[in-house]
Amino acid sequence: MIHITALDHLVLRVQDLETMLNFYRDILGCPLERAKEDLGLYQLRAGNSLIDLVTVDGKIGKAGGAAPGREGRNLDHLCLRLDPFDGEAIRQYLSSKGLEAGPVERRYGAEGTGPSIYVLDPEGNTVELKGPPDDA
């Protein structure tokens, strides 16, 4: 029987590695844990999970076909759980970095319904920043 306990990692195929590293590492605070430049693979720590960035022109990325873009994305969105969660402070922080964040809205996630904010990364992938469930 399969029993899933958590999301281990997510892989994003990227065109502009430095811009994407700046977003995930420098703005969202996911430290670069491992780089395999020969594969075009850059792994960032996101709590107990990893976000892998794979360059579209690298060994792994070439196997994925055409590069992602606003009209042909490689996923709908990824959700990162934040704790603590201060929606307005998060929105102000993202704005100070030149990013336009959506409003704080109530959305359902793995732990239940709670606050979240959508923001686009530099290559048009939607990133949901999720707070704790309302009943926490």
Side-chain angles (χ1 to χ4, degrees):
M1 173 60 79
I2 295 174
H3 177 72
I4 297 172
T5 60
L7 178 67
D8 186 84
H9 68 278
L10 174 80
V11 180
L12 294 174
R13 296 176 64 246
V14 303
Q15 297 180 80
D16 185 340
L17 177 64
E18 287 308 314
T19 301
M20 294 293 274
L21 283 172
N22 178 64
F23 179 78
Y24 287 99
R25 179 191 58 210
D26 302 335
I27 294 175
L28 295 186
C30 299
L32 181 63
E33 184 166 301
R34 193 174 90 141
K36 301 283 286 177
E37 293 181 11
D38 58 319
L39 298 175
L41 171 66
Y42 301 82
Q43 297 178 296
L44 300 120
R45 176 63 54 188
N48 291 327
S49 303
L50 292 174
I51 298 172
D52 295 354
L53 303 180
V54 175
T55 58
V56 294
D57 59 353
K59 185 174 182 178
I60 296 171
K62 285 180 183 175
R70 293 196 189 276
E71 298 301 318
R73 297 181 294 162
N74 57 353
L75 87 152
D76 179 73
H77 77 278
L78 67 109
C79 181
L80 302 174
R81 171 68 159 80
L82 306 184
D83 192 18
F85 186 93
D86 179 337
E88 287 312 308
I90 294 166
R91 292 183 83 248
Q92 288 175 5
Y93 170 72
L94 293 171
S95 179
S96 77
K97 299 297 184 181
L99 298 166
E100 184 178 337
V104 177
E105 295 186 9
R106 299 264 159 313
R107 295 185 177 94
Y108 187 77
E111 298 176 295
T113 301
S116 78
I117 297 170
Y118 283 160
V119 63
L120 295 179
D121 76 13
E123 293 194 1
N125 296 299
T126 300
V127 179
E128 180 179 356
L129 304 175
K130 183 96 170 66
D134 294 336
D135 59 1

Coordinates of all heavy atoms in Angstrom, one line a residue, residues 15 67-76 99-100 119-126:
Q15 N 14.4 28.9 -18.0 CA 15.2 29.5 -19.1 C 16.3 30.4 -18.5 O 17.4 30.4 -19.1 CB 14.2 30.3 -20.0 CG 13.2 29.4 -20.7 CD 12.3 30.2 -21.6 OE1 12.7 30.5 -22.7 NE2 11.1 30.5 -21.1
A67 N 10.7 25.0 -24.1 CA 10.9 25.8 -22.8 C 9.5 26.3 -22.3 O 8.6 26.5 -23.1 CB 11.8 27.0 -23.0
P68 N 9.3 26.4 -21.0 CA 8.1 26.9 -20.5 C 7.9 28.4 -20.8 O 8.9 29.1 -21.0 CB 8.2 26.6 -19.0 CG 9.7 26.6 -18.7 CD 10.3 26.1 -20.0
G69 N 6.7 28.8 -20.8 CA 6.4 30.2 -21.0 C 5.0 30.5 -20.6 O 4.2 29.6 -20.2
R70 N 4.5 31.7 -20.7 CA 3.2 32.1 -20.2 C 2.1 31.4 -21.0 O 1.0 31.1 -20.5 CB 3.0 33.6 -20.4 CG 3.9 34.4 -19.4 CD 3.4 35.8 -19.2 NE 4.4 36.6 -18.4 CZ 4.4 36.6 -17.1 NH1 3.6 35.9 -16.4 NH2 5.3 37.3 -16.5
E71 N 2.4 31.0 -22.2 CA 1.4 30.3 -23.0 C 1.6 28.8 -23.0 O 0.8 28.0 -23.6 CB 1.4 30.8 -24.5 CG 1.0 32.2 -24.6 CD -0.4 32.5 -24.0 OE1 -1.3 31.8 -24.3 OE2 -0.5 33.6 -23.4
G72 N 2.7 28.3 -22.4 CA 2.9 26.9 -22.3 C 3.7 26.5 -21.1 O 4.9 26.2 -21.1
R73 N 3.0 26.7 -19.9 CA 3.7 26.5 -18.7 C 3.9 25.0 -18.4 O 3.3 24.2 -18.9 CB 2.9 27.1 -17.5 CG 2.8 28.6 -17.7 CD 2.0 29.3 -16.6 NE 0.6 28.8 -16.7 CZ -0.2 28.9 -15.7 NH1 0.2 29.4 -14.5 NH2 -1.5 28.5 -15.8
N74 N 4.9 24.7 -17.5 CA 5.2 23.4 -17.1 C 4.5 22.9 -15.8 O 4.8 21.8 -15.4 CB 6.7 23.1 -17.1 CG 7.4 24.0 -16.1 OD1 6.8 25.0 -15.6 ND2 8.7 23.8 -15.9
L75 N 3.7 23.7 -15.2 CA 2.8 23.3 -14.1 C 1.8 24.4 -13.9 O 1.9 25.5 -14.4 CB 3.6 23.1 -12.8 CG 3.9 24.3 -11.9 CD1 4.0 23.7 -10.5 CD2 5.2 25.0 -12.3
D76 N 0.7 24.1 -13.1 CA -0.3 25.1 -12.8 C 0.2 26.1 -11.7 O 0.3 27.3 -11.9 CB -1.6 24.5 -12.4 CG -2.6 25.5 -12.1 OD1 -3.2 26.2 -13.0 OD2 -2.9 25.8 -10.9
L99 N 7.7 42.9 -7.0 CA 6.7 41.8 -7.4 C 5.3 42.2 -7.0 O 5.1 42.8 -6.0 CB 7.1 40.5 -6.7 CG 8.5 39.9 -7.0 CD1 8.9 38.9 -6.0 CD2 8.5 39.4 -8.4
E100 N 4.4 41.9 -7.9 CA 3.0 42.2 -7.7 C 2.3 40.9 -7.2 O 2.1 40.0 -7.9 CB 2.3 42.6 -9.0 CG 0.9 43.1 -8.8 CD 0.3 43.6 -10.1 OE1 1.0 44.0 -11.0 OE2 -1.0 43.5 -10.2
V119 N 1.7 34.8 -6.3 CA 2.6 35.7 -6.9 C 3.3 34.9 -8.1 O 3.3 33.6 -8.0 CB 3.7 36.1 -5.9 CG1 4.5 35.0 -5.3 CG2 4.6 37.2 -6.5
L120 N 3.7 35.6 -9.1 CA 4.3 34.9 -10.2 C 5.8 35.0 -10.0 O 6.4 36.0 -9.7 CB 4.0 35.6 -11.6 CG 2.5 35.5 -12.0 CD1 2.4 36.3 -13.3 CD2 2.0 34.1 -12.1
D121 N 6.5 33.8 -10.4 CA 8.0 33.9 -10.4 C 8.4 34.5 -11.7 O 7.6 34.9 -12.5 CB 8.6 32.5 -10.1 CG 8.5 31.5 -11.3 OD1 8.2 31.9 -12.4 OD2 8.8 30.3 -11.1
P122 N 9.7 34.8 -11.9 CA 10.2 35.5 -13.1 C 9.8 34.8 -14.4 O 9.9 35.5 -15.4 CB 11.7 35.6 -12.9 CG 11.8 35.6 -11.4 CD 10.8 34.6 -10.9
E123 N 9.5 33.5 -14.4 CA 9.2 32.9 -15.7 C 7.7 32.6 -15.8 O 7.3 31.8 -16.7 CB 10.1 31.6 -15.9 CG 11.5 32.0 -16.1 CD 12.4 30.9 -16.6 OE1 12.0 29.8 -16.8 OE2 13.6 31.2 -16.7
G124 N 6.9 33.2 -15.0 CA 5.4 33.1 -15.1 C 4.8 31.9 -14.4 O 3.6 31.7 -14.5
N125 N 5.5 31.2 -13.6 CA 4.9 30.1 -12.8 C 4.2 30.7 -11.6 O 4.8 31.6 -10.9 CB 6.0 29.1 -12.2 CG 6.7 28.4 -13.4 OD1 6.1 27.7 -14.1 ND2 8.0 28.6 -13.5
T126 N 3.0 30.3 -11.3 CA 2.3 30.8 -10.1 C 2.8 30.1 -8.8 O 2.8 28.9 -8.8 CB 0.8 30.6 -10.3 OG1 0.4 31.3 -11.5 CG2 0.0 31.1 -9.1

